[in-house]
């Protein structure tokens, strides 16, 4: 049978393929995506103009072109990007070659593979829904292919029904199918795309850039109480080396063996921290982490480092204690943390002197310094004027306006001039509580820099000069929405009032909560999580798992089969049902009722055989005939018939 | 009016003895505006029946004896040239009467048969391009000898469908035959019969029959019958939609004769042998036996 | 309608899956006993696709890839139910077959009804010929499939296979059905047109007795005794004198077709020739009778007689 795909089938298919490939525009080289788009449009055009389709030789040439493009762009067929490009190009080429039903299937199957490669780039709930929808359209393509002439809408409805019916079973398989830790194949790795966030270097403007970004960095769910806002410091890189303008986090390798382990006292917070994909393998623990899982280590500057791929979402179980004593300091460490880029200027030395830097103890000097910030008209602003030259001096003596990194670096610089070991600590501060999900969300806008000074007998102590001039920054945290509303930051032409804002916030929180659970239960459902979850169900070995799998699949399948295969008969006339009961009673009494007998025939025969029941039989027959065959039915007839049949005794 | 109908049936039963069901069916056929085919051997009272009915209904009556040499013009009439007036004038045939007895219709050639059947169907006659309407009401009772007699042209299958009913009279019972033999000659009785129903009353009755209520449950039953006839291997051909309409009209008239305002399955069953028997092409003549499988297997409930 | 339970031995017979159970007369309702389901080639490819998706999920530790794989696996399973649903409940009944002459394609009609409230799409019916139909809810359709005929006599239809790959083409559900509804095959009419035989078997004289009929034959000058309605009034009106139209009756010759008189070397050839004569005689509107050894059908014409004669030949 010659195969002529209908226009509708082709449009269906090309539409769904366009949709399924679209997000790859951001993932694969533009040249390859352009090639694919060209092929798709070509095929689309030939739906109406079949003569534009290339012949076999043309397809062969295009294939060579595709291979050439693939090779020039990817140099490999392995790995995520290369594999994705390969499938996309193959799909595009196959589109030009539809000769039979088989080809339609090959295309749809390829499209499913392309769909799954989307998940290698993005695992958000929206992407999942999007792919689910497009899969629905793909299935509808197959339905159109297998039925003579169903309406487009009917095909979509059927495919939606099939997907909905399949979801429960898919979830059972998802939960119970054993997750094995896959070996990490290095050749499959691809660089993650540039992500914003803290880096090894603290540039003057770097945190200000972040402060506008609502991008999520990590979420924290506490097992018990939350620490007070003033203690929510999430420790990141430690910047100890400076050239006077920028600060760098020195390579951490040499400083692993710190002489003293920190001592912890007081309250301990247990929490789960879920990192979004990052550039660096840093884990931002609450100061100061006491316990952490196997995949983590704490380096010499008390920062947690993970050995997992930072590009993946990851979840960590941590404990932290805000009261700690890091103990002594090694000579190297002391020297490193007193490093200055040349001699300090006269003005600075004067200031340190004025604040009794060298005479009094370090604590007094620090107190004076913070006092100085508070009293001398210093401002907190997210958009300070640029200070390209001698930033610290300009900041301290001229502008007196800046944000956390200005204060922290200036603070540390002055401490070092006063020969107190000090360093800048980067990380995040605060976080927004999600009322819906009951967890803390930390965004890039929460990026912060503070200072740390080593004090005899207390170890490294945190000082936050920003808190001195803008305590509300620490107490309440940065709220991007508020900043937008107050006009401090403005990139939206629409002015939002407080009410809209609270709705916005509420909506965002709800969404974040949904997203959190999505991450928690779907994306991060790995070997460890599965084992924990299955153990909570009492499944601790593979045999039991096998039983569970079998029983649940059979159970869900059974319910489905029962729902689907029920015969759907037409609703019967209630009068007829009652009359059938009556006939059944007659049959019990030995009065035969044939299928072809009308009610009067039945009544005559019954009266003849049982004259004693004549009256009841006549009444039932009369009402039944009225209900079923006459136009003058009375409202109460059905009720009366019901009673009569019920009370009919033979 | 109901009483008039009762009187009519009673009077007919006085003349034709022991044939109540057939008389009732014939009256039913008339009320349903259908034509009647009586199939039986000569001499069982076909003519008497039709004559009696014509009398009782007060209809103009004409008997046409069909022979092998009868021409269409002998039935419908012909145009004759009047030499004095130099004009053609139409001489109407015997068909221009309210009640026609077409006797031994299968003796005539197919051409003559179809002249009658066309007139029956269209209730008008066309001769030389001019159309002449037939009187109202118009009712044909055709009789047919059993097909196996030599020298006959059985009605084609497509044409028996024009008759709403086919009935058989059969031999009278012993008692009826005794009464027949001992009583007055029938033609005397017929001449004495009073007109029981005026033409206007007949028209009213026909209208009343149209208005008898039919429930959807009954239509379900009717459709089941039609479907069964089309599926069953017992029959050579299924019932046509026209047969379905005829069955419904006959059942309505039957219910009316029974003084009911709604059709019951029993009405349908009563008229089924007469209405369906000749349309199922079984070859047998016993209508009751032909439709027995339908009555037995099609569920009423 | 409930069917009698099938003994285990028959239940496991392989032929049941392909050629169906023993022929029955009645309507067959497609139930789990009649309907078989197996994945198609595309279905097997779909399994490979599922495995590939799960493999991608495994290699990249990607739960959504797993999820899509499992979703497709569930769809695969659910499609089994849908495939069964595509056929379940359909009622198939053989309709009255029309007799044919040997060599013609034998038409077998089946009535297919969908009693459910769901429409059925793309139900394929295969005998020797194929047909694909769609049935709306509570719809009944009569389909005719053909199977070649070679020999006269009763011929049973082969296995009617009702199948569907709806909805996704991953599975094929099929039901092989055999019906006890034989088709009557008449002998093949001989090719050569021989003249009708001289009448011999009948008592009536052959030839034509002319009589007044209804076929207009011509006009002749009026003679006394001609009926008034036979006068050709139009000619008279034109002043051409009085003429009468005369009519000839349809030829009423009676023909006896006798097996003994039919030329041919063996039985089939003679029957074939008789068949040819029957066809010709009916078409010519003659009255004919048939004489076979042990059977005598008196002369008559009309469809019923024609059928009887042909049936006698077919079953002789």
């Amino acid at each position: 049978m010659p195969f002529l795909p209908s226009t509708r089938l082709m449009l269906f298919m090309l539409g769904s393929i366009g949709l399924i490939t679209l997000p790859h525009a951001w993932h694969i080289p533009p040249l390859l995506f352009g090639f694919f788009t060209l092929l798709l449009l070509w095929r689309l055009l030939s739906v109406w103009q079949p003569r534009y389709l290339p012949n076999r030789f043309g397809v062969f040439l295009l294939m060579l072109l595709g291979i050439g493009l693939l090779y020039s762009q990817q140099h490999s067929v392995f790995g995520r990007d290369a594999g994705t490009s390969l499938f996309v190009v193959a799909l595009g080429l196959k589109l030009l070659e539809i000769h039979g039903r088989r080809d339609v299937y090959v295309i749809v199957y390829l499209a499913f593979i392309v769909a799954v490669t989307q998940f290698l780039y993005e695992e958000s709930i929206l992407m999942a829904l999007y792919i689910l929808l497009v899969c629905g359209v793909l299935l509808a393509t197959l339905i159109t292919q297998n039925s003579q002439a169903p309406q487009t809408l009917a095909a979509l409805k059927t495919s939606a029904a099939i997907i909905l019916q399949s979801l429960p079973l898919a979830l059972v398989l998802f939960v119970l199918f054993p997750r094995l830790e896959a070996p990490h194949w290095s050749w499959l790795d691809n660089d993650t795309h540039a992500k914003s966030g803290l880096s090894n270097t603290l540039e003057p403007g770097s945190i200000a850039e972040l402060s506008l970004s609502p991008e999520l960095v990590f979420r924290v769910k506490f097992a018990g109480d939350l620490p007070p806002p003033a203690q929510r410091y999430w420790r990141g890189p430690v910047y100890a080396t400076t050239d006077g303008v920028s600060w760098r986090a020195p390579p951490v390798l040499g400083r692993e063996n710190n002489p003293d382990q920190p001592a912890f006292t007081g309250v301990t917070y247990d929490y789960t921290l879920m990192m979004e994909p990052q550039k660096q393998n840093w884990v931002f623990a609450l100061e100061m982490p006491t316990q952490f899982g196997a995949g983590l280590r704490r380096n010499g500057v008390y920062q947690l480092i993970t050995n997992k791929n930072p590009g993946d979402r990851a979840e960590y179980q941590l404990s932290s204690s805000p009261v700690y004593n890091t103990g002594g300091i090694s000579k190297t460490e002391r020297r490193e943390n007193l490093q200055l880029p040349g001699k300090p200027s006269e003005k600075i030395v004067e200031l340190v002197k004025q604040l009794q830097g060298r005479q009094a103890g370090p604590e007094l000097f620090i107190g004076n310094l913070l006092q100085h910030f508070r009293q001398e008209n210093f401002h907190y602003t997210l958009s300070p004027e640029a200070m390209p030259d001698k930033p610290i001096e300009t900041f301290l003596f001229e502008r007196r306006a800046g944000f956390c990194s200005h204060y922290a670096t200036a603070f540390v610089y002055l401490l070092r001039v006063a020969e107190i070991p000090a360093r800048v600590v980067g990380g995040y501060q605060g976080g927004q509580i999600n009322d819906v999900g009951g967890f803390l969300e930390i965004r890039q806008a929460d990026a912060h820099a503070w200072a740390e000074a080593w004090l005899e007998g207390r170890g490294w102590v945190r000082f936050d000069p920003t808190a001195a001039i803008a305590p509300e920054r620490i107490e309440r945290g940065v709220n991007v929405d508020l900043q937008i509303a107050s006009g401090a930051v403005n990139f939206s032409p629409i002015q939002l009032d407080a009410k809209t804002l609270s709705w916005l916030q509420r909506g965002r929180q709800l969404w974040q909560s949904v997203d959190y659970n999505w991450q928690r239960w779907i994306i991060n459902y790995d070997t460890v999580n599965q084992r924990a979850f299955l153990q909570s169900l009492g499944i601790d070995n593979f045999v039991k798992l096998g039983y569970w799998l079998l029983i649940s699949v059979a159970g869900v399948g059974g319910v489905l089969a029962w729902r689907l295969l029920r015969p759907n008969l037409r609703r019967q006339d209630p009068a007829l049902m009652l009359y059938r009961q009556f006939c059944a009673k007659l049959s019990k009494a030995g009065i035969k009722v044939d299928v072809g007998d009308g009610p009067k025939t039945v009544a005559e025969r019954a009266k003849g055989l049982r004259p004693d029941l004549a009256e009841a039989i006549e009444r039932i027959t009369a009402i039944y005939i009225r209900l079923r065959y006459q136009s003058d039915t009375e409202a109460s007839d059905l009720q009366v018939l019901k009673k009569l049949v019920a009370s009919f005794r033979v | 009016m109901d009483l008039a109908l009762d009187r009519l049936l009673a009077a007919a039963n006085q003349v034709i003895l022991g044939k109540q069901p057939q008389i009732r069916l014939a009256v039913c056929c008339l009320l349903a505006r259908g034509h009647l085919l009586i199939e039986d051997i000569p001499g069982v009272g076909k003519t008497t029946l039709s004559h009696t009915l014509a009398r009782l209904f007060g209809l103009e009556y004409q008997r046409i004896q069909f022979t092998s040499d009868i021409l269409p013009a002998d039935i419908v009439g012909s145009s004759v040239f009047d030499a004095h007036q130099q004009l053609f004038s139409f001489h109407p045939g015997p068909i221009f009467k309210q009640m026609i007895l077409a006797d031994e219709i299968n003796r005539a050639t197919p051409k003559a048969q179809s002249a009658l059947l066309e007139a029956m169907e269209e209730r008008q006659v066309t001769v030389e391009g001019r159309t002449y309407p037939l009187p109202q009401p118009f009712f044909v009772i055709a009789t047919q000898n059993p097909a196996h007699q030599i020298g006959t042209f059985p009605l084609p299958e497509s044409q028996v469908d024009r008759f709403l009913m086919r009935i058989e009279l059969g031999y009278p019972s012993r008692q009826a035959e005794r009464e027949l033999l001992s009583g007055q000659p029938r033609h005397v009785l017929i001449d004495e019969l009073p007109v029981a129903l005026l033409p206007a009353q007949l028209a009213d009755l026909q209208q009343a029959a149209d208005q008898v209520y039919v429930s959807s449950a009954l239509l379900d039953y009717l459709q089941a019958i039609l479907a069964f006839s089309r599926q069953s291997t017992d029959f050579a051909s299924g019932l046509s939609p026209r047969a379905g309409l005829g069955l419904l009209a006959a059942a309505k008239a039957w219910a009316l004769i029974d003084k009911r305002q709604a059709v019951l399955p029993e009405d349908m069953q009563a008229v089924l042998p007469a209405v369906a028997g000749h349309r199922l092409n079984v070859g047998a003549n016993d209508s009751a036996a032909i439709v027995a499988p339908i009555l037995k297997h099609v569920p009423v409930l | 309608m409930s069917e009698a339970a099938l003994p285990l031995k028959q239940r496991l017979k392989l032929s049941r899956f392909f050629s169906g159970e023993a022929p029955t007369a009645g309507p067959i309702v497609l139930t789990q006993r009649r309907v078989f389901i197996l994945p198609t080639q595309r279905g097997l490819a779909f399994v490979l696709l599922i495995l590939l998706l799960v493999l991608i999920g495994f290699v990249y530790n990607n739960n959504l890839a797993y999820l899509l794989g499992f979703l497709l696996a569930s769809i695969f399973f659910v499609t089994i139910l849908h495939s069964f649903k595509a056929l379940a409940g359909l009622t198939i009944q053989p309709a009255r077959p029309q007799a044919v002459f040997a060599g013609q394609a034998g038409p077998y009609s089946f009535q297919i009804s969908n009693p459910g409230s769901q429409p059925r799409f793309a139900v394929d019916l295969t005998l020797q010929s194929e047909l694909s139909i769609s049935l709306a809810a509570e719809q009944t359709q009569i389909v005719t499939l053909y199977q070649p005929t070679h020999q006269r006599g009763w011929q049973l239809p082969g296995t009617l296979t009702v199948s569907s790959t709806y909805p996704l083409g991953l599975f094929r559900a099929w039901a092989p059905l055999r019906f006890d509804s034989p088709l009557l095959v008449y002998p093949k009419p001989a090719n050569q047109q021989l003249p009708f035989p001289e009448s011999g078997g009948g008592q009536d004289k052959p030839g034509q007795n002319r009589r007044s009929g209804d076929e207009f034959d011509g006009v002749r000058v009026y003679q006394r005794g001609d009926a008034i309605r036979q006068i050709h009034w139009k000619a008279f009106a034109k002043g051409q004198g009085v003429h009468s139209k005369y009519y000839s009756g349809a030829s009423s010759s009676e023909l006896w077709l006798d097996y003994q008189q039919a030329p041919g070397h063996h039985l089939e050839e003679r029957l074939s020739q008789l068949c040819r004569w029957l066809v010709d005689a009916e078409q010519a509107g003659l009255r004919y009778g048939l004489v076979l050894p042990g059977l005598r059908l008196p002369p008559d014409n009309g469809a019923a007689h024609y059928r009887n004669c042909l049936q006698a030949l077919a079953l002789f």
Side-chain angles (χ1 to χ4, degrees), chain A residues 477-530:
Chain A
V478 188
N479 189 321
V480 181
D481 300 328
L482 276 177
Q483 284 179 10
I484 295 167
S486 66
V489 183
N490 194 353
F491 43 69
S492 157
I494 306 158
Q495 294 296 318
L496 298 167
D497 59 51
K499 203 172 164 193
T500 323
L501 201 70
S502 91
W503 274 109
L504 197 81
Q505 204 164 353
R506 189 82 197 150
R508 187 199 286 266
Q509 284 190 349
L510 187 72
W511 171 247
Q512 283 298 337
S513 171
V514 170
D515 195 43
Y516 171 79
N517 284 303
W518 173 256
Q519 300 290 348
R520 178 75 185 74
W521 293 108
I522 305 288
I523 307 300
N524 287 331
Y525 190 74
D526 56 9
T527 319
V528 181
N529 278 333
Q530 188 187 36

Side-chain angles (χ1 to χ4, degrees), chain A residues 251-557:
Chain A
V252 285
L253 276 170
R255 2 170 86 243
E256 293 299 295
N257 34 12
N258 208 38
D260 291 338
Q261 284 295 318
F264 299 99
T265 45
V267 61
T268 308
Y269 295 102
D270 299 327
Y271 53 95
T272 311
L273 191 142
M274 194 191 287
M275 293 295 302
E276 293 291 306
Q278 298 294 310
K279 209 158 43 168
Q280 311 274 7
N281 54 353
W282 300 332
V283 174
F284 298 91
L286 186 70
E287 285 193 331
M288 195 46 102
T290 60
Q291 279 170 13
F292 36 87
L296 292 172
R297 70 191 162 80
R298 190 171 60 192
N299 68 11
V301 292
Y302 312 111
Q303 187 192 0
L304 289 188
I305 308 291
T306 177
N307 58 12
K308 291 188 185 170
N309 177 8
D312 293 337
R313 280 193 185 78
E315 200 183 284
Y316 305 98
Q317 298 292 333
L318 302 174
S319 298
S320 289
S321 183
V323 185
Y324 54 89
N325 188 334
T326 58
I329 186 169
S330 70
K331 277 195 174 153
T332 337
E333 203 176 2
R334 172 182 279 273
R335 195 178 59 243
E336 277 173 1
N337 287 305
L338 286 172
Q339 177 261 344
L340 285 171
K343 265 180 87 77
S345 70
E346 281 302 313
K347 256 184 168 176
I348 285 180
V349 176
E350 188 59 31
L351 179 66
V352 172
K353 233 182 230 163
Q354 189 193 325
L355 298 172
Q356 303 184 323
R358 314 222 173 178
Q359 300 86 356
E363 269 125 339
L364 191 62
F365 170 70
I366 292 170
N368 286 343
L369 184 52
L370 291 177
Q371 188 73 10
H372 176 76
F373 281 145
R374 261 195 295 274
Q375 287 175 349
E376 293 294 324
N377 206 18
F378 277 88
H379 294 293
Y380 179 78
T381 173
L382 275 172
S383 39
E385 290 169 61
M387 296 171 260
D389 192 35
K390 291 187 183 172
I392 291 176
E393 272 166 71
T394 321
F395 167 68
L396 280 173
F397 304 114
E398 290 171 28
R399 297 286 150 71
R400 299 194 171 193
F403 51 92
C404 58
S405 65
H406 295 99
Y407 287 96
T409 51
F411 184 84
V412 168
Y413 190 88
L414 290 178
L415 255 60
R416 285 187 179 183
V417 172
E419 288 182 352
I420 304 166
R423 56 198 184 189
V424 179
V425 183
Y428 297 87
Q429 200 281 324
Q432 206 172 347
I433 295 173
N434 186 312
D435 295 337
V436 186
F439 52 81
L440 216 53
E441 294 166 8
I442 289 91
R443 300 157 186 288
Q444 293 294 9
D446 293 313
H448 192 51
W450 61 91
E452 220 174 25
W454 186 85
L455 300 177
E456 189 65 52
R458 290 174 67 187
W460 286 102
V461 179
R462 179 180 70 223
F463 294 97
D464 190 352
T466 315
I469 45 98
E472 72 281 353
R473 162 71 181 79
I474 307 305
E475 286 296 324
R476 283 194 228 117
V478 188
N479 189 321
V480 181
D481 300 328
L482 276 177
Q483 284 179 10
I484 295 167
S486 66
V489 183
N490 194 353
F491 43 69
S492 157
I494 306 158
Q495 294 296 318
L496 298 167
D497 59 51
K499 203 172 164 193
T500 323
L501 201 70
S502 91
W503 274 109
L504 197 81
Q505 204 164 353
R506 189 82 197 150
R508 187 199 286 266
Q509 284 190 349
L510 187 72
W511 171 247
Q512 283 298 337
S513 171
V514 170
D515 195 43
Y516 171 79
N517 284 303
W518 173 256
Q519 300 290 348
R520 178 75 185 74
W521 293 108
I522 305 288
I523 307 300
N524 287 331
Y525 190 74
D526 56 9
T527 319
V528 181
N529 278 333
Q530 188 187 36
R531 194 181 303 140
F533 178 73
L534 293 184
Q535 259 163 8
S536 75
L537 292 177
I539 306 170
D540 46 14
N541 58 37
F542 276 107
V543 180
K544 268 193 189 169
L545 183 63
Y547 282 137
W548 267 74
L549 204 58
L550 216 67
I551 290 169
S552 339
V553 168
V556 173

Side-chain angles (χ1 to χ4, degrees), chain B residues 71 74 109 111 231-232 235-236, chain C residues 93 96 111 213-214 229 237:
Chain B
L71 292 175
D74 298 329
T109 57
K111 205 146 204 171
Q231 292 164 21
S232 171
F235 312 122
Chain C
Q93 188 172 30
R96 197 174 306 112
Q111 175 174 298
D214 58 355
R229 51 171 196 274

Side-chain angles (χ1 to χ4, degrees), chain B residues 3-28 45 48-57 167 169 172-173 175-177 179-180 183-184 186 189-190 193-194 196 254 257:
Chain B
L3 288 176
L5 208 53
D6 283 347
R7 267 206 314 278
L8 187 144
L9 288 169
N13 286 327
Q14 288 296 314
V15 180
I16 306 135
L17 301 167
K19 298 283 174 224
Q20 280 97 330
Q22 285 87 342
I23 290 169
R24 210 177 154 114
L25 280 171
V27 171
C28 175
T48 315
L49 173 64
S50 51
H51 207 166
T52 306
L53 287 179
R55 222 28 236 190
L56 288 169
F57 280 103
I167 59 175
L169 287 176
S173 66
Q175 195 201 344
E177 191 147 30
E179 276 183 56
L180 180 72
Q184 285 189 8
R186 297 296 114 181
L189 285 178
I190 292 171
L193 276 178
W254 190 265
I257 297 174

Side-chain angles (χ1 to χ4, degrees), chain C residues 212-285:
Chain C
S212 177
D214 58 355
E215 295 290 333
F216 179 72
D217 216 19
V219 180
R220 63 172 179 227
V221 177
Y222 175 77
Q223 291 169 341
R224 287 174 66 120
D226 282 352
I228 190 165
R229 51 171 196 274
Q230 277 173 254
I231 294 170
H232 194 344
W233 292 107
K234 279 183 185 160
F236 177 59
K238 290 178 193 155
Q240 293 169 340
V242 184
H243 289 77
S244 293
K245 294 184 267 193
Y246 67 89
Y247 300 84
S248 68
S251 66
S252 58
S253 70
E254 287 192 348
L255 194 64
W256 280 97
L257 304 174
D258 193 342
Y259 176 78
Q260 301 300 338
Q261 289 181 332
H265 301 296
H266 53 84
L267 176 77
E268 294 302 325
E269 262 181 43
R270 290 183 171 201
L271 289 177
S272 180
Q273 185 55 52
L274 281 174
C275 186
R276 168 93 271 160
W277 281 337
L278 272 175
V279 174
D280 293 344
E282 175 67 21
Q283 270 171 6

